[in-house]
Amino acid sequence: MTSAGPLVSCAMRLTVLGGCGAWPTAVQACSGYLVEYAGFRLLIDPGYATLPRLLDHHTVDAVDAVLISHGHPDHCADLNPLLRSRGLSDAPPAALPVYAPHGAVDAVLALDKPSMLAEAYRLHEFKPGDRFDIGPFTTDTWLLPHFVPNAGIRLTSPEAVLAYTGDTGPSPDIPRLAQGADLFLSEATYIHEVPTADAPYLLTARLAGQYASQADTARLMLTHLWPGTAQTAAREVAAAAFRGPLDIATPGLVTDLARGG
Ligand SMILES: [Zn+2]
């Protein structure tokens, strides 16, 4: 992991805006990840309270596209203030491309009357399983089991691969989307076990470590820990299965990804 510095032109950079599951805390926004490559900035999952953390690094017009894994508000609620801050400014930037599974952002887009933000975005809905390009990134998606349709995401640039689960239960598709990735960003809502009723729809740090090992990823980053989870315990459990570099997503964490790095 590196501290924030000048973006090396060939690097694919991940900046964590937040990684808290369910709701934000005083020190941690919900899911939000900025991925940069070749001057293109892709914001993945603008969850609760991620916009202020984005503003720690960039102005709102610096975002080139948004990609959303699923429609839970801890993954997309701050799309509303992002669009407001762009669309209602004195000099609105170009419409923001927003990629999301069908229907996933209907609720957040309905917070304002349609005409107010209509020129602020262009919605590109997809079906998890689709492959498409966003700027310099080839985007592969998988339908993974969650309470609502969730897209597991594999972003490929010429320099590196980032694999991200969104929110999911166990699935044989997880090691497929993560296979050989330079960074596997995996939800780990719980440490050892998911409560029985939710077990098909969420992961643990234990499973995240096992999937990272199975997929032979270069690094593992745990995210979406339930508020109040002991990070040290989550790390230890994941590290028992995955021997490579391991981090926990916290706001401001910046890492440059490179092939085999
Ligand atoms: Zn969710």
Side-chain angles (χ1 to χ4, degrees):
M1 297 295 158
T2 62
S3 59
L7 179 61
V8 178
S9 60
C10 63
M12 180 171 168
R13 169 169 286 187
L14 169 69
T15 300
V16 176
L17 306 181
C20 198
W23 65 86
T25 69
V27 296
Q28 171 77 296
C30 285
S31 294
Y33 315 98
L34 188 69
V35 184
E36 300 173 69
Y37 179 72
F40 191 94
R41 296 190 181 98
L42 173 63
L43 174 58
I44 301 177
D45 281 0
Y48 290 127
T50 53
L51 181 61
R53 300 290 71 79
L54 173 71
L55 296 174
D56 289 339
H57 303 275
H58 300 288
T59 57
V60 289
D61 57 0
V63 178
D64 294 300
V66 173
L67 173 61
I68 289 170
S69 63
H70 66 292
H72 280 156
D74 54 329
H75 293 257
C76 66
D78 271 23
L79 180 62
N80 177 262
L82 176 62
L83 295 181
R84 279 183 162 218
S85 61
R86 290 170 62 107
L88 304 182
S89 70
D90 292 337
L96 181 65
V98 175
Y99 297 81
H102 288 284
V105 291
D106 286 359
V108 70
L109 292 176
L111 289 171
D112 284 308
K113 62 181 179 182
S115 62
M116 190 172 121
L117 298 177
E119 300 305 315
Y121 68 94
R122 293 289 178 269
L123 182 59
H124 302 272
E125 293 189 312
F126 66 89
K127 181 164 55 68
D130 288 350
R131 169 185 256 205
F132 47 92
D133 291 332
I134 305 176
F137 303 110
T138 299
T139 308
D140 290 286
T141 65
W142 283 258
L143 178 63
L144 297 181
H146 194 46
F147 304 98
V148 297
N150 170 73
I153 293 163
R154 181 182 176 95
L155 275 188
T156 302
S157 77
E159 294 299 325
V161 173
L162 168 66
Y164 171 49
T165 57
D167 289 356
T168 183
S171 166
D173 283 332
I174 296 173
R176 295 186 183 116
L177 85 87
Q179 184 61 46
D182 299 286
L183 178 65
F184 178 40
L185 177 61
S186 178
E187 77 111 304
T189 309
Y190 293 90
I191 297 177
H192 297 96
E193 299 291 339
V194 179
T196 302
D198 294 342
Y201 308 115
L202 294 168
L203 291 181
T204 61
R206 178 177 58 84
L207 284 168
Q210 291 175 1
Y211 283 131
S213 180
Q214 185 180 347
D216 196 24
T217 65
R219 300 179 186 179
L220 170 62
M221 185 182 292
L222 304 179
T223 190
H224 201 265
L225 276 62
W226 195 257
T229 297
Q231 294 192 359
T232 303
R235 180 191 295 269
E236 287 176 355
V237 167
F242 178 69
R243 305 296 182 187
L246 194 162
D247 279 280
I248 293 181
T250 51
L253 182 61
V254 177
T255 183
D256 288 340
L257 308 183
R259 268 270 157 243

